[in-house]
Amino acid sequence: MKTAPLSRRDRLRAQLADLKMPGALEALDSVLASVDAGQGTAADALEALLGAQIALRNQRRLQAAMRSSRLPVVKTLADFDFSFQPSLKRDQLESLHTLGFLERRENVVLLGPPGVGKTHLAISLAIAAAQSGRRVYYGTLGDLITSLEEAQQAGRLTQRLKTLVFPALLVVDEIGYLPISRTGAMLFFHLMSRRYETASTVLTSNKGFEEWGEIFGDEVMAGALIDRLVHHCHIVNIRGNSYRLKNHAELYAVLTPRATPSPTTRRRRINRQEAPTS
Ligand code: ADP
Ligand code: MG
């Protein structure tokens, strides 16, 4: 009789192992201890147990995705400081992170000047998607185009396209930073046409759509690309200041044309910025 509670615990352990739930198995003792101590309801205990398993599964999915998706870093919505970027609607971003747009095969375009968090938010969407078990892939426009051009030259374009068409979420970062060759633009157009209405793409750009003709070297093609992209699309315009320069207010004033002070003030400010602090 004395051993009954222990054997119940052992049975639970065996069941969790049988169901391949190592996260819940690891949390079992502490969850049962808090129940024994009268802390919380049975529902709280179940929630804690299942929550531990889900957390472990998501962490494993993320680790696997970081290996296969080429995501450069981990950035999450929780790390994003909305108070720094008042032009952003927190509700819209939180709603996007619930991933309904992936099910509806819609796109997200993040537009804004450098340093406002476009890459951060694109990555946090990709990470949320990876944690939900979807396949994701990240590349800058330059990287993606180079890989397509190389594949074409090596006679492996079909294979490469398959890799980039297949993921439920493709991030195309940094549209507008580097010039693109005509072949490159055509290959990218082809990729986006293949993904149109079959899988979601998150794109970031420091240039408005009106400048995409120049980026892709062809107004007609850029028009057709934008047409497909925005057909089912969430456009997030970020109009704030660069987070990279947030601790360099004076440097920011120098680098931002809107707030550019007179050359004398500018020189004085730069001198002060560089002056030893001791
Ligand atoms: P962009 O792609 O718009 O040029 P990034 O997303 O690369 O900008 O942001 C630059 C750096 O600042 C990154 O390290 C990013 O995580 C951080 N960052 C940008 N905006 C925020 C924010 N609002 N809260 C927290 N970190 C931010
Ligand atoms: Mg960026």
Side-chain angles (χ1 to χ4, degrees):
M1 272 313 209
K2 262 187 197 163
T3 54
L6 195 65
S7 80
R8 158 89 42 86
R9 195 169 286 222
D10 284 345
R11 280 208 305 280
L12 280 171
R13 282 204 186 95
Q15 284 176 323
L16 292 173
D18 189 20
L19 288 167
K20 299 198 170 42
M21 295 175 74
L25 184 58
E26 203 177 324
L28 182 66
D29 284 344
S30 75
V31 170
L32 290 179
S34 55
V35 173
D36 290 345
Q39 292 162 355
T41 61
D44 290 334
L46 276 175
E47 191 178 21
L49 200 68
L50 296 176
Q53 177 59 31
I54 289 171
L56 181 73
R57 183 203 59 187
N58 288 357
Q59 190 194 327
R60 287 183 169 175
R61 280 178 173 174
L62 180 59
Q63 279 165 356
M66 291 308 289
R67 285 193 294 273
S68 65
S69 66
R70 309 275 165 107
L71 281 163
V73 282
V74 175
K75 299 275 177 185
T76 65
L77 192 63
D79 307 330
F80 196 82
D81 179 2
F82 279 92
S83 66
F84 187 77
Q85 222 49 269
S87 72
L88 268 181
K89 291 193 200 95
R90 191 189 193 118
D91 286 357
Q92 184 190 18
L93 268 303
E94 281 175 353
S95 154
L96 285 172
H97 282 76
T98 63
L99 307 176
F101 77 98
L102 285 182
E103 262 139 51
R104 297 188 296 271
R105 289 136 169 77
E106 294 162 352
N107 300 318
V108 178
V109 180
L110 297 151
L111 299 172
V116 294
K118 301 182 298 298
T119 300
H120 185 128
L121 293 169
I123 290 176
S124 69
L125 284 170
I127 282 176
Q131 286 181 326
S132 78
R134 273 120 165 159
R135 200 158 184 100
V136 305
Y137 198 89
Y138 169 96
T140 63
L141 177 67
D143 289 346
L144 293 172
I145 285 183
T146 305
S147 82
L148 286 167
E149 284 175 332
E150 283 172 4
Q152 188 178 43
Q153 278 155 22
R156 287 184 293 102
L157 183 60
T158 314
Q159 218 174 315
R160 183 67 192 152
L161 274 170
K162 219 180 262 174
T163 312
L164 297 177
V165 170
F166 178 63
L169 177 58
L170 173 71
V171 177
V172 181
D173 203 7
E174 298 186 0
I175 296 177
Y177 282 108
L178 295 172
I180 297 161
S181 72
R182 179 144 185 84
T183 336
M186 274 160 56
L187 288 168
F188 182 67
F189 179 76
H190 186 56
L191 168 65
M192 294 316 293
S193 304
R194 293 272 304 272
R195 290 184 63 83
Y196 174 60
E197 291 188 333
T198 67
S200 299
T201 307
V202 174
L203 305 99
T204 83
S205 181
N206 61 334
K207 303 262 169 71
F209 287 130
E210 68 286 355
E211 293 177 77
W212 283 29
E214 207 180 307
I215 299 168
F216 289 96
D218 184 329
E219 294 287 345
V220 178
M221 189 202 291
L225 174 68
I226 293 165
D227 197 54
R228 282 164 177 73
L229 280 181
V230 303
H231 184 192
H232 311 285
C233 184
H234 304 261
I235 296 173
V236 181
N237 259 305
I238 317 178
R239 286 190 206 86
N241 298 335
S242 169
Y243 195 84
R244 292 191 187 101
L245 299 178
K246 94 178 162 102
N247 295 322
H248 305 279
E250 307 221 318
L251 187 58
Y252 184 79
V254 177
L255 293 175
T256 312
R258 227 178 337 121
T260 303
S262 74
T264 352
T265 335
R266 193 186 306 164
R267 216 171 302 124
R268 215 179 311 129
R269 284 183 173 175
I270 292 175
N271 288 345
R272 229 186 309 146
Q273 177 88 21
E274 289 170 354
T277 48
S278 64

